[in-house]
Amino acid sequence: MQVLVLGAGQLARMMSLAGAPLNINISAFDVGSENIVHPLTQAVLGHGLENAIEQADVITAEFEHIPHHILDVCEQSGKFLPTTDAIKAGGDRRIEKALLDNAGVKNAKYAVISSREDFTKAIEHVGMPMVLKSALGGYDGKGQWRLKSADQVEAIWAEMEACIAATSTQAIVAEEFVPFNREVSLVGARGKDGQVEVYPLAENVHTDGVLSLSTAIEDAGLQEQAKAMFTAVANSLDYVGVLALEFFDVDGQLLVNEIAPRVHNSGHWTQQGAVTCQFENHLRAVCGLPLGSTKLIRKTSMINILGEDSLPTSLFAMEGCHIHWYGKDKRPGRKMGHINVCADSNEELVTKLVALARELDKEAYPAVHAFAAQH
Ligand code: ATP
Ligand code: MG
């Protein structure tokens, strides 16, 4: 089976690693250069979308900010999954919000802003404080503003106006500020036959808008709520593949923050912590195979390696510590790899994270250090 992934980053790389034992071969399409590349070596294997489509049995994506003309050509080939509508929703907060409303899942109150008048109306409708997010192109907390008081309105409007003017289809989505207790996410898969399997929820810590620490949790009440919302969204899209929902947990009530129509950073823990990892399950789904079990096998946390290209050798000596590099050149803040740390009990996981904090740099891993300081 030959699967083409739109995007040639770490998610395509990890799909390739998961697909190899199943004889599922991955090639990656770099949407910028239009080169077909090997997802592990980045060696150029060919060029052009037509060629790439021709060689593929199935086409999928590792990110949502894909030019619509590329998605449309893939759709016409009849080979694309999970559905181009899902990718378009993930890449445009206006479509995403409408989708959540139509699926009947709770999300933060919002308004769409294209003009100064819209901004005034949004402030009346949504209220302050509010979070303002560019409709297109946002990721890792980029393209966002926080409006807390009336004296900030003009300065923020000047920046938002420039953002709207830069792209003809751009707009801003204003959202009420949600006073959440914590952030959690649900990663799951829906098969071609409509079968839905979800992993245990992950509790997520962000540092400067980027995921830094993610831990699989077991909470039957929240899990049930999250699964119901997941199923509503996935069914409404007739989705096939792995999908992630990010939530705000407000006193035990979940509100969807956003969806990611793909394998997700908060699901990387499944490589060691679940029976079948998210990458294999995505491939199983899009290839029309039965889904693998999503059961937790060990308590697991995932630590993102941001902007660093080496780790202390001592980590290799820690039982249950698994290192995953992405083979990228070092750049400040860049997602370079992750560490999965597994344990047989919650207590042992805490002990291991505290031990890891002693080995890892405080500046580069603030979430691990904050965790250790609390335990
Ligand atoms: P991602 O990398 O997950 O795609 P993103 O840039 O698309 O990130 P969001 O997930 O929408 O952005 O927001 C980034 C973070 O900002 C959230 O994880 C959350 O911590 C905070 N945030 C976003 N929206 C709100 C809100 N309405 N109320 C409070 N905090 C918010
Ligand atoms: Mg997010």
Side-chain angles (χ1 to χ4, degrees):
M1 197 66 135
Q2 195 65 38
V3 176
L4 177 74
V5 178
L6 303 182
Q10 67 266 21
L11 302 179
R13 176 186 174 95
M14 289 186 276
M15 281 188 228
S16 172
L17 292 169
L22 306 180
N23 266 353
I24 298 174
N25 293 314
I26 308 293
S27 49
F29 184 73
D30 181 335
V31 298
S33 65
E34 303 227 332
N35 282 333
I36 308 163
V37 303
H38 190 284
L40 301 180
T41 63
Q42 299 290 317
V44 177
L45 306 173
H47 184 78
L49 186 59
E50 299 293 333
N51 266 336
I53 292 174
E54 171 83 36
Q55 292 160 19
D57 298 309
V58 175
I59 307 167
T60 189
E62 66 147 22
F63 75 127
E64 49 275 28
H65 302 300
I66 298 169
H68 285 191
H69 69 271
I70 292 183
L71 286 175
D72 294 341
V73 176
C74 291
E75 174 86 61
Q76 281 153 24
S77 74
K79 298 177 181 177
F80 190 84
L81 289 168
T83 76
T84 52
D85 283 348
I87 304 293
K88 288 176 183 172
D92 186 330
R93 293 192 196 276
R94 290 164 289 197
I95 305 175
E96 184 179 34
K97 281 292 202 180
L99 169 79
L100 295 174
D101 288 344
N102 288 337
V105 302
K106 283 197 194 117
N107 61 95
K109 199 198 283 186
Y110 72 101
V112 178
I113 302 174
S114 300
S115 66
R116 182 67 182 78
E117 296 77 63
D118 291 343
F119 192 19
T120 305
K121 281 189 211 149
I123 294 168
E124 280 166 24
H125 174 65
V126 174
M128 283 190 278
M130 66 163 73
V131 181
L132 296 140
K133 304 178 182 181
S134 63
L136 303 170
Y139 68 100
D140 288 346
K142 293 181 176 65
Q144 295 198 9
W145 298 264
R146 300 280 191 273
L147 175 64
K148 292 179 184 144
S149 57
D151 59 318
Q152 295 174 298
V153 169
E154 293 314 323
I156 289 179
W157 171 247
E159 286 185 26
M160 281 174 20
E161 192 176 27
C163 174
I164 293 168
T167 322
S168 61
T169 48
Q170 185 63 283
I172 307 291
V173 173
E175 254 178 40
E176 65 174 319
F177 181 86
V178 179
F180 57 82
N181 306 97
R182 61 175 175 174
E183 291 183 84
V184 297
S185 57
L186 190 72
V187 174
R190 186 173 181 275
K192 279 191 179 167
D193 57 357
Q195 179 195 0
V196 169
E197 298 290 342
V198 300
Y199 291 97
L201 282 161
E203 180 171 346
N204 302 322
V205 181
H206 295 87
T207 307
D208 299 329
V210 184
L211 183 68
S212 46
L213 176 64
S214 185
T215 301
I217 57 166
E218 288 165 292
D219 181 321
L222 277 193
Q223 186 77 26
E224 198 181 316
Q225 254 189 74
K227 186 174 180 183
M229 295 195 211
F230 181 99
T231 306
V233 172
N235 286 348
S236 78
L237 285 164
D238 199 15
Y239 196 91
V240 177
V242 164
L243 167 74
L245 262 60
E246 295 179 14
F247 301 96
F248 300 125
D249 175 0
V250 187
D251 299 331
Q253 286 292 315
L254 295 182
L255 232 63
V256 175
N257 171 28
E258 57 174 357
I259 67 162
R262 55 176 166 79
V263 288
H264 194 251
N265 199 168
S266 70
H268 291 359
W269 68 267
T270 62
Q271 289 170 311
Q272 267 76 41
V275 176
T276 315
C277 77
Q278 62 164 346
F279 304 101
E280 179 174 333
N281 258 336
H282 183 68
L283 294 176
R284 285 179 180 232
V286 299
C287 293
L289 298 166
L291 301 178
S293 164
T294 50
K295 266 193 205 137
L296 185 88
I297 47 174
R298 287 191 89 188
K299 312 282 176 188
T300 306
S301 282
M302 188 249 15
I303 300 162
N304 263 345
I305 305 171
L306 303 169
E308 298 286 309
D309 64 355
S310 67
L311 285 169
T313 316
S314 56
L315 266 57
F316 286 87
M318 187 185 282
E319 192 272 331
C321 184
H322 300 265
I323 297 164
H324 299 259
W325 289 111
Y326 306 153
K328 293 189 198 169
D329 293 332
K330 183 173 172 170
R331 259 193 254 137
R334 193 175 199 196
K335 287 180 179 168
M336 299 292 290
H338 66 273
I339 303 164
N340 284 337
V341 54
C342 306
D344 293 329
S345 66
N346 286 328
E347 296 70 32
E348 192 191 314
L349 187 59
V350 170
T351 307
K352 285 185 173 174
L353 286 167
V354 171
L356 271 171
R358 284 198 289 272
E359 304 295 324
L360 298 172
D361 182 65
K362 203 168 184 168
E363 302 283 302
Y365 300 90
V368 183
H369 281 267
F371 180 89
Q374 287 158 17
H375 291 86

